[in-house]
Amino acid sequence: MGLKNCPECGKIFVDSPAGMCPACVEQEERDEIKIVDFLRESGNAASIEEIHEATGVKERTILHMMRKGRFMGDFEISYACEACGAPIVEGRVCAACSKNIINQMKQSAEKEAQKSLEFKKAGRMYSNLEKK
Ligand SMILES: [Zn+2]
Ligand SMILES: [Zn+2]
């Protein structure tokens, strides 16, 4: 454990499992209570944007808390798909975009396979020539 710059406020602090300075950890706890209160009032579901507007907590902070699994199970928080901006509640992209991404990956994998097949064919032709 050494000294680190707090990723939230930039102050130097003694590194801890929280990864933030004690003041920011406290602030985050306060923010979390605010968010939970807001979620309870709004029927346990809201988008990150709505939470941000109602509580003033930065969207980045809300995402950060979600990644830590703070609101898992009890609440449904939607946020924007990283690719198209559609509201999603899990993962980084929506179902449609993840399908697209998988298709793209498949296509490029197929292209690669095709390329190496052609390469092998060319290699075979070359070795046939050599035998003659
Ligand atoms: Zn801090
Ligand atoms: Zn999307």
Side-chain angles (χ1 to χ4, degrees), residues 81 83-86 94 97:
C81 162
C84 73
C94 69
C97 288

Side-chain angles (χ1 to χ4, degrees), residues 45-61:
S47 70
I48 283 196
E49 228 182 302
E50 286 166 346
I51 298 170
H52 168 68
E53 273 164 26
T55 62
V57 180
K58 277 181 278 178
E59 293 187 20
R60 195 170 68 89
T61 308

